[in-house]
Amino acid sequence: MITTMIATKEDMNEPRSRAALRMARRVVVKAGTSVVANADGSPSLRRLGDIVEQLSELNHEGVEVIFVSSGAVGMGRNLLRKQARLNMSFMDMHNSMTGDPVGGSTVTSHQATDEASAPPITRLTPNTSIADLLDANEQMQTSAAKSYAAAGQFELMNLYQSLFSPKGVTCSQVLLTQADFQDEVHLKTLSFAVERLLTLGVVPIVNENDCCTIMGTDDTDAVFNDNDSLAALCARTFGAEVLLLLTDVDGVYDLPPSNPKAKLINFHHSNSDVAIGEKSSQGRGGMSAKIDAARFAVTPGSACTACVVAAGSDLDCIRSILGREFDPALGPPKGTLFATPGSDLEKQALDELVHWETDDESVTEAAREMATAARKEARKLQSLPHDLRKSILHAVADALLNRQDELLEANQQDLDAADENSVAAPLVARLKLTPQKLATLAKGIRQLADQKDPLGVVKSKREVAEGLELSLITVPIGVLMVIFESRPDSLPQIASLALASGNGLLLKGGKEATHSNASLHEVIGDAIESASDGVISRDIIALVTSRGQVKDLLSIDDVIDLVIPRGSNSLVSYIKANTRIPVLGHADGVCHVYVDSSANADSAGKIVVDAKTDYPSACNAMETLLLHQDTVENGVALSVMMALRSAGVKCLGGAKAMKAGLSDVPAQHMKCEYGDLTCLVEIVDNLDEAIDWIHEHGSGHTEAIVCADDSPVGEEFLKRVDAACVFKNASTRFADGFRLGLGAEVGISTGRIHARGPVGVEGLLTTKWQLRSSSGINYVGEFGGESPSKTYTHKELM
C-alpha cells in the first residue's frame, strides 16, 4: 500500500502525496484512443513510442505494469478500408477511375472503398417500418465494429510487440469480456493468469474483446462500459496500487478546458467543482467517464488508493508521475489526483491543498503587488543622482558591520536547526556566516559603490541625418527575481548589485537560512530607507517567505523580467521548467584543471590544491584534475597527487589513472559536482584530448590550465576551450565577482545570451535607444518620395 510511505518520503521539491505514487509496485496505465491514435485512426507512433519507453523503464525498475490500450477499432477500420481497396475488381477500379456509370450511377474511388469496408445500409420498403429499419442498421454498424476490432487487435498487438521487444520487455495480449468478471470461475482463472504474467515480468496489454461484445454505455448490467471503467476494474481486481488514465487534456478542470478561465484541479475531492467539456471525437469515453472510473478505482475495499487523470500528449507524463525518482526538470505535478476517501493519502493531499491553494487568487495578487512595488521603487531609484545611490550602498555596507551581532545571532539559529536536522556538511559550510565573511561583503559593496555610474552610459552614437542624433545608453533590466539555496551571504551581494544597477529585486532563500535571510533583509531595508531619507522604500527589495509565493511569482512574467537561480542542478532545472520568464544561471559547476607536460610540480600542486580546497562546496571549485601523460613519467603527477592527499582530498580515478596507479578507487561518473573534498583524476595524452574531455564532461563554468609561462599551449587552451571562464596558471576560484573586480556577483552564468561568467552590474543592465533632434521636427515623409527634402547620413559619431 502506498499510503504507508507518505510519512517517510521526504522531498522538498515534490508534494508528498505525489511522491507516494512513486512507491507503487503494481500499476495500471490506460491510454485512450485520442492518445494512441491520430485523428484518422492511424497509430500515433511518436506517442506510442514514448509510452512504451516509459512503461519499459518502470518494468526494468521492478514495477509490475498492466497496460490498458484502446485504438483497435480505429486501426481495424483503416486496415479493412485498405483491404477493400485491394479487393476491388478490375471493373470497379476502372469505373471508379473513369467515372463510367454502372447501373445509372457514378462511383468514385473513395466511395467504393467506404462502401466495400462499411456495412450495407438497409433501405425503407413497403414491408418495413421505421423501427425495423433502425434496428437493422444498428445491427449492421455493430457487425462492422466487430470486424474492425478483430482486424485492429491483431494489428495493434503487432505494433506493440515491435515497440516493446527492442526494450527487452515481453508483452502479452489479454482480451476481456463482461463474463470474465461476472463469472466467478472465469474471474479466478483470469486473475491467476494475470498474476502469473506479472510475476514473470511480462506486461499484459488489456483491451475489451470488442469482436465478441460491443457494449453501450446505457447497459445497466455491464460491469464496465468502456476502457476507462475497464482499467478501473482491472486496477481493483488485480491489486494495482495506482491507476493512471491518459487522456487528451491535462486533467480535470473546474470549467470546460476550452474556457480561458478554466483551472486545472490538482486534487479531486468530494467538494471539487467540475464542469465537463466536449467529448473527444475518438473513443467511447469522455471526461465524465474518466471521473467515474477514477472514483470507482479508489473506492475503499481494494489496494488501489490513487488514480491520476493526465495528458497522454505529454511525452514524459508516465515518467513524471510514476518514475522511481523525481525529476524537477519535468515540471510540477501533472494531472488530477484522486485518492481513496479517508485514506492517509487523501489526508496528505488535503493538507497540501490547504497549504498551497488556500485563497489562491489572493496569493497571486499579493505576489503581483510585491513585484509591482519593487518596480515602482526601482524607477524612483534610477532617477536619483549617482552620489545618493552611492550613499545608499555605503549605508548597507556599514549596517552589515554595525549590526553584526544580531546577524550572527540569527545565523546561529539556522546552524542549530541544521545540526538537529543532520544537514550535509557542504550545505552547513555555505550556511555559516562569520565576521570575516561580513567584512568581505562590506568591502565588496563599498568597491561596488565607488565604481563609475553604470546607468546612462552611452554605448554608441550615430548621426541619422543632419540635426538628428541616435544614442544607445545603458538602463536597468527592471525587476529581478533571485532564488538561492543555503547561502545567506548571497543576499547582501545580490541586493547591492540590484541597488547599484537600479533594478527592483525579489529574493527567495533556502529554508535552511530562514532566520539569517530575514535578519539580513531587515538590516538592508533599514539602511535603504535611512540613507535615502525615506525616498526609497524597502519594498525595492522584497523577501519571498513561502514556497507558494515563489510558484506564483514564476508565472507573473509581465512584472518580473529576469529570474536568476543560484543553487543546485535540481533547483535550476525546476526554475527553467516552471517559468516563461528568461532564466540566467548555471546548473552545474564541474570545473577542470589541466596540468600540461610543461608545468612545474610546485606550481601545479599549489594551483590544484587551492582550486579544490579553498572552498570545496563552491561552484568554481575544481572537480576534475586532468594530467598530461608526460607528467606521470616526469614525477609532476605524483607530486600533485601527494599534495592533494596531504590536503585531505579523496581522489577517484578514471580508467587511465587507475591503470597508472594514481588512484585505487574508481570514479562512478566522469561528470560530477562533488561539492566536498573529493575529485576525479584522469590522464590524457595531449592538449587535444584534454579539451575534448572538458567539452564532453564539463559544464561550461570555469576551466584552467597549468603550464610553463612561455609554453604556447597556454594561449591555445585559452582560445579553444568553450567555457564562461578560462584561466591560464590561475586557480578556478578566481571565477568570482569580487576577485575579478566586479564588486560582487549576482551569480555565474554558463549561458550564451546576454551575460556569461560572473554576473556583476553590467550583466544586470540592458539598453535603450534615444533619438534627439536639434533642428526642429523630423518625420519620415521628409526622407521619401521623388523629391525628398532630407537625406540620411548614417554617420558614426562614436
Side-chain angles (χ1 to χ4, degrees), residues 31 35-36 47-56 67 246 318:
V35 175
V36 303
R47 289 196 293 270
L48 284 175
D50 282 291
I51 288 173
V52 167
E53 181 176 347
Q54 293 171 85
L55 294 181
S56 298
F67 183 37
L246 300 179
I318 299 173

Side-chain angles (χ1 to χ4, degrees), residues 222-236:
V223 291
F224 62 87
N225 297 313
D226 49 45
N227 274 350
D228 291 317
S229 55
L230 173 59
L233 187 59
C234 287
R236 294 183 64 82

Side-chain angles (χ1 to χ4, degrees), residues 88-240:
M88 289 172 60
S89 67
F90 175 78
M91 185 62 69
D92 292 333
M93 182 74 75
H94 173 74
N95 291 335
S96 67
M97 294 176 63
T98 61
D100 290 343
V102 178
S105 65
T106 300
V107 181
T108 67
S109 176
H110 178 72
Q111 290 172 327
T113 301
D114 284 346
E115 291 175 7
S117 62
I121 303 299
T122 303
R123 307 296 180 187
L124 184 63
T125 68
N127 297 322
T128 59
S129 66
I130 294 293
D132 292 337
L133 176 63
L134 293 175
D135 288 343
N137 284 337
E138 183 177 351
Q139 292 175 6
M140 292 300 180
Q141 294 294 337
T142 299
S143 298
K146 290 183 178 182
S147 64
Y148 297 154
Q153 280 293 348
F154 184 77
E155 189 81 357
L156 188 63
M157 280 307 301
N158 276 339
L159 177 59
Y160 280 130
Q161 178 65 29
S162 66
L163 292 173
F164 273 110
S165 183
K167 304 294 181 183
V169 175
T170 302
C171 60
S172 65
Q173 184 178 38
V174 180
L175 294 178
L176 302 176
T177 65
Q178 304 287 329
D180 292 316
F181 294 96
Q182 293 169 329
D183 184 278
E184 185 176 346
V185 176
H186 286 191
L187 181 58
K188 186 175 181 180
T189 304
L190 170 64
S191 298
F192 176 81
V194 171
E195 191 70 31
R196 179 63 173 161
L197 291 172
L198 293 174
T199 302
L200 294 173
V202 178
V203 175
I205 300 180
V206 178
N207 200 350
E208 180 180 2
N209 193 348
D210 293 326
C211 184
C212 298
T213 308
I214 303 293
M215 302 300 299
T217 57
D218 58 347
D219 192 328
T220 55
D221 295 329
V223 291
F224 62 87
N225 297 313
D226 49 45
N227 274 350
D228 291 317
S229 55
L230 173 59
L233 187 59
C234 287
R236 294 183 64 82
T237 303
F238 304 136

Side-chain angles (χ1 to χ4, degrees), residues 298-529:
V298 299
T299 300
S302 79
C304 187
T305 54
C307 175
V308 179
V309 179
S313 57
D314 185 333
L315 302 182
D316 288 308
C317 183
I318 299 173
R319 186 179 294 113
S320 67
I321 295 172
L322 299 175
R324 298 295 88 182
E325 298 293 334
F326 171 63
D327 184 355
L330 298 180
K334 301 182 187 300
T336 300
L337 172 66
F338 293 73
T340 299
S343 65
D344 291 340
L345 183 64
E346 185 195 46
K347 294 175 184 176
Q348 180 67 43
L350 285 172
D351 287 344
E352 292 165 355
L353 193 67
V354 171
H355 180 69
W356 297 110
E357 298 183 3
T358 298
D359 198 8
D360 185 66
E361 290 186 4
S362 65
V363 172
T364 302
E365 189 57 34
R368 182 179 294 277
E369 290 176 1
M370 190 183 296
T372 302
R375 185 181 298 276
K376 178 182 177 182
E377 295 302 315
R379 286 172 175 163
K380 289 161 57 177
L381 179 67
Q382 297 166 31
S383 65
L384 295 180
H386 183 225
D387 286 343
L388 183 51
R389 286 188 274 123
K390 284 178 60 175
S391 67
I392 293 175
L393 287 170
H394 280 292
V396 170
D398 292 340
L400 293 179
L401 300 180
N402 296 337
R403 300 174 66 173
Q404 173 178 291
D405 291 343
E406 71 180 89
L407 292 175
L408 295 179
E409 182 179 348
N411 182 243
Q412 188 59 49
Q413 295 182 56
D414 292 327
L415 292 172
D416 292 341
D419 183 56
E420 292 177 8
N421 295 323
S422 301
V423 174
L427 289 179
V428 174
R430 295 180 181 183
L431 177 62
K432 187 177 179 63
L433 285 178
T434 64
Q436 292 76 19
K437 279 188 178 181
L438 292 174
T440 300
L441 287 171
K443 183 178 180 181
I445 294 172
R446 290 196 178 96
Q447 184 184 67
L448 192 63
D450 293 336
Q451 291 180 353
K452 294 181 179 179
D453 189 357
L455 301 181
V457 176
V458 179
K459 307 294 287 185
S460 68
K461 189 179 291 186
R462 177 182 300 120
E463 180 187 85
V464 176
E466 188 174 345
L468 192 61
E469 187 176 284
L470 178 68
S471 300
L472 180 67
I473 67 166
T474 56
V475 294
I477 288 176
V479 176
L480 314 175
M481 180 174 174
V482 181
I483 303 175
F484 56 99
E485 292 181 325
S486 59
R487 287 189 58 179
D489 57 330
S490 297
L491 194 152
Q493 290 184 44
I494 298 165
S496 61
L497 283 166
L499 292 170
S501 58
N503 287 289
L505 179 64
L506 278 71
L507 288 164
K508 174 64 174 78
K511 70 175 185 178
E512 301 89 352
T514 299
H515 297 93
S516 304
N517 290 334
S519 183
L520 284 164
H521 181 252
E522 181 181 1
V523 167
I524 293 172
D526 290 345
I528 291 171
E529 293 184 341

Side-chain angles (χ1 to χ4, degrees), residues 636-684:
V636 172
L638 182 60
S639 176
V640 171
M641 295 297 293
M642 291 178 61
L644 280 173
R645 291 194 172 100
S646 296
V649 178
K650 179 180 179 180
C651 300
L652 306 179
K656 293 182 180 179
M658 293 287 291
K659 186 175 181 180
L662 295 181
S663 175
D664 54 3
V665 181
Q668 299 300 314
H669 306 284
M670 298 301 103
K671 178 180 180 180
C672 182
E673 185 174 9
Y674 298 102
D676 57 18
L677 289 174
T678 305
C679 73
L680 165 67
V681 179
E682 183 57 308
I683 297 171
V684 292

